[in-house]
Amino acid sequence: MEKKKTGQKASRPRWMTECDVIRYNLKIPEKLKEKLKKEALNSGMDMSSYVCGILAGEVRRKGKR
């Protein structure tokens, strides 16, 4: 059975605000949070900009491959 569609607009990506990033930071494990802080400092960015960049795909993290 198909879902009924209401007259709503199709969802599309939205820009993350700094508040969104702060809420996201609170949900990350402490070890990962420390790792991201170090990576952000090495990149010359603050934590929220770095996390936004990762989530938006603008920043690539180096990982084990």
Side-chain angles (χ1 to χ4, degrees), residues 10-60:
S11 64
R12 40 176 221 198
R14 66 176 180 87
W15 291 99
M16 287 186 66
T17 63
E18 190 172 344
C19 292
D20 292 335
V21 174
I22 291 170
R23 283 194 292 263
Y24 177 78
N25 284 340
L26 296 175
K27 295 178 183 178
I28 355 184
E30 283 301 314
K31 281 186 177 181
L32 179 59
K33 194 182 290 187
E34 291 300 318
K35 201 182 256 190
L36 288 173
K37 281 182 187 176
K38 287 179 185 176
E39 290 175 17
L41 287 175
N42 291 339
S43 300
M45 301 171 80
D46 61 305
M47 178 75 167
S48 61
S49 299
Y50 189 72
V51 172
C52 275
I54 291 172
L55 295 175
E58 297 167 357
V59 175
R60 294 267 184 206

